[in-house]
Amino acid sequence: MRAVLVANPKGGSGKTTVSINIAAALAHAGRRTLLLDLDRQRSASTWTSIRPGHLPPVYAFRPHPDAQPPKGDWLVIDSPAGIHGKTLSHALKLADRIVVPLQPSLFDMSATSEFLGELLREKVVRGRRVRVGVVGVRVDPRTKAASTLAAFLGQFDLPVLGYLRDSQTYPNAAFNGLSIFDMAPSIVERDQASWQPIVDWVTAE
Ligand SMILES: Nc1ncnc2c1ncn2[C@@H]1O[C@H](COP(=O)(O)OP(=O)(O)O)[C@@H](O)[C@H]1O
Ligand SMILES: [Mg+2]
């Protein structure tokens, strides 16, 4: 089973949004997709519980010390704010890709800086078994904010996988158990296109 961890120490950075959209993209591609919800707030689990039954399913589960985790083609791991220590090491053991959603603000970038440094010092990341990529959240790629973000990530030699614009489509979709990939392309064509390089990077061999 392949796995992607979605992580950023800051709350509200877009982890659950990125997790559910990647999971839905994989489900639409016909993969049996599991969503490990490490957050006590259970946002990802709530989303799967209201997801309409006719859509490609995403199976959410919570960590459980006694239960065998379910099996699938893909595991998407949605993590809580401030993930560190044992929980982070455990998630790193499972994952072969890490996606870090990041908003181009001073506060978000400074809060994420230490975490990125920590990640890049991990043996599995240095050895390139686990790859790290960043998704710009609430950012238009043509703006100064986008170049500021790219310059910041340049210090870490990290790629920007793609940019997600600031759009009410994200909270609105989540309210209905939907992702960008469940909506009519006539409405969200641009957004679906902005996800493509992100999904391609996650699924690349
Ligand atoms: N690109 C975006 N445009 C507008 N709102 C967004 C975007 N991405 C996320 N949001 C909203 O921002 C809030 C925080 O996002 P969320 O994914 O829950 O972050 P986290 O899981 O890191 O706490 C949610 O209400 C979500 O719907
Ligand atoms: Mg969340």
Side-chain angles (χ1 to χ4, degrees), residues 123-144:
K123 215 171 170 183
V124 287
V125 176
R126 277 191 284 130
R128 301 209 142 241
R129 184 186 72 72
V130 178
R131 306 265 163 118
V132 183
V134 174
V135 171
V137 176
R138 291 186 153 122
V139 43
D140 180 331
R142 297 160 303 185
T143 56
K144 179 146 188 283

Side-chain angles (χ1 to χ4, degrees), residues 97-169:
R97 293 279 192 282
I98 304 173
V99 172
V100 180
L102 181 55
Q103 300 187 36
S105 83
L106 173 66
F107 305 141
D108 286 77
M109 293 190 306
S110 58
T112 305
S113 197
E114 198 178 314
F115 175 71
L116 290 176
E118 197 183 314
L119 268 188
L120 296 175
R121 283 192 296 275
E122 290 283 345
K123 215 171 170 183
V124 287
V125 176
R126 277 191 284 130
R128 301 209 142 241
R129 184 186 72 72
V130 178
R131 306 265 163 118
V132 183
V134 174
V135 171
V137 176
R138 291 186 153 122
V139 43
D140 180 331
R142 297 160 303 185
T143 56
K144 179 146 188 283
S147 45
T148 306
L149 187 66
F152 167 75
L153 294 169
Q155 315 166 45
F156 298 97
D157 203 16
L158 280 175
V160 185
L161 309 175
Y163 297 96
L164 307 176
R165 70 179 172 131
D166 189 352
S167 165
Q168 279 305 110
T169 305

Side-chain angles (χ1 to χ4, degrees), residues 55-111:
L55 294 174
V58 172
Y59 305 96
F61 66 106
R62 297 261 309 143
H64 196 289
D66 307 324
Q68 278 290 338
K71 288 197 166 59
D73 301 315
W74 271 96
L75 177 66
V76 178
I77 308 171
D78 183 24
S79 63
I83 188 174
H84 70 282
K86 260 195 195 158
T87 318
L88 179 61
S89 317
H90 180 63
L92 282 173
K93 268 194 201 123
L94 296 172
D96 45 49
R97 293 279 192 282
I98 304 173
V99 172
V100 180
L102 181 55
Q103 300 187 36
S105 83
L106 173 66
F107 305 141
D108 286 77
M109 293 190 306
S110 58

Side-chain angles (χ1 to χ4, degrees), residues 163-181:
Y163 297 96
L164 307 176
R165 70 179 172 131
D166 189 352
S167 165
Q168 279 305 110
T169 305
Y170 288 101
N172 290 344
F175 259 127
N176 296 302
L178 302 179
S179 74
I180 286 292
F181 300 98

Side-chain angles (χ1 to χ4, degrees), residues 11 14 18 26-27 39 56 65-66 104 109 132 140 172 175 183-184 186 191-192 199:
V18 167
L26 294 166
D39 194 344
D66 307 324
M109 293 190 306
V132 183
D140 180 331
N172 290 344
F175 259 127
M183 302 171 80
S186 55
D191 300 295
Q192 289 181 348
V199 175

